């Protein structure tokens, strides 16, 4: 028995689970953290019947490593795809709400939308977190990986991470009756609209001040047009930078 499995010798189920997770290609530190959490859960429950708590070891391993190691892919007609966006005031809350409905984020596209999918027949709960990466993401992945977090998208200065809730919930992580795909695809908070309103008021005040100072209404209009053009150009630059960073990461040798 290797060092990874030694602390859990009395849980033969967890030993077999660790072996299955290795076969699925999970990193050793990820496996160690996951198995440690499960062992603690069994201790809290006061039971050594791990299979009764988590289900068959092969199936549970597939839940913990979805899509890896030859896990059966869902038929195309069972896979639901949904693209949606939210501002930074509500994104984590919504990600976890929708993750609880079985939505797994694959990536963040060039428009800043969360590209999500769900296996309607075998939906599993997910949880998410956001990290600020103004100085690059070096070290963040390694710091979060032992707790089971894996990257699922970036946008300019933000990075999002996900992990399956099966490690903490066991069979309860399965979504038995997933709700329908949400009809909305844009979720903007009151704080976001308040910020836009404040910027609008500031822009109007600046335009009026310029117009009064110059004695020409066209001067104020020029300020508004210039500011709007700058905002559009800035947004375009942000999209271009985000796309360039994603391309650079894809080309970087592993």
């Amino acid at each position: 028995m290797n060092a990874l499995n030694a602390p859990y010798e009395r849980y033969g189920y967890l030993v077999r689970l660790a072996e299955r997770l290795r076969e699925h290609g999970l990193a050793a530190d990820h496996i160690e953290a996951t198995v440690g959490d499960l062992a603690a859960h069994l201790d809290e429950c006061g039971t050594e019947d791990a299979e009764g708590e988590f289900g068959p070891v092969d199936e549970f391993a597939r839940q913990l490593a979805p899509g890896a190691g030859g896990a059966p892919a869902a038929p195309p007609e069972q896979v639901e795809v949904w693209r949606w966006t939210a501002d930074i005031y509500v994104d984590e809350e919504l990600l976890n709400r929708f993750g609880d409905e079985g939505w797994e984020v694959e990536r963040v596209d060039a428009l800043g939308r969360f590209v999500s999918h769900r296996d309607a027949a075998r939906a599993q709960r997910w949880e998410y977190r956001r990290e600020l990466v103004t100085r690059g993401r070096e070290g963040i992945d390694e710091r979060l990986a032992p707790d089971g977090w894996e990257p699922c998208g970036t946008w300019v200065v933000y990075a999002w991470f996900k992990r399956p809730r099966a490690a903490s919930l066991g069979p309860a992580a399965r979504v038995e009756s997933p709700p329908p795909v949400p009809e909305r695809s844009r979720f903007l908070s009151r704080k976001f609209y308040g910020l836009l309103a404040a910027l609008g008021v500031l822009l109007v005040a600046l335009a009026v001040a310029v117009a009064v100072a110059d004695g020409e209404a066209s001067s104020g209009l020029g300020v508004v047009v210039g500011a709007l053009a700058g905002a559009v150009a800035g947004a375009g630059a942000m999209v271009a930078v985000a796309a360039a960073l994603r391309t650079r990461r894809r080309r970087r040798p592993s």
Side-chain angles (χ1 to χ4, degrees), residues 70-102:
E77 63 272 12
Q78 292 183 359
V79 178
E80 301 170 313
V81 178
W82 178 41
R83 291 174 173 82
W84 59 282
T85 188
D87 61 63
I88 60 171
Y89 297 113
V90 294
D91 62 331
E92 283 187 283
E93 176 188 349
L94 292 174
L95 280 165
N96 284 292
R97 180 199 305 177
F98 297 135
D100 223 31
E101 297 177 359

Side-chain angles (χ1 to χ4, degrees), residues 10 14 46 51 53 75 87 90 104 135-138 161 165 188 211 238:
R10 63 193 178 101
L14 296 182
E51 185 165 355
E53 185 71 17
D87 61 63
V90 294
E104 177 187 358
R135 296 183 180 179
R137 62 186 299 166
E138 290 77 5
F161 294 79
R165 300 196 65 192
L188 303 178
M238 291 175 65

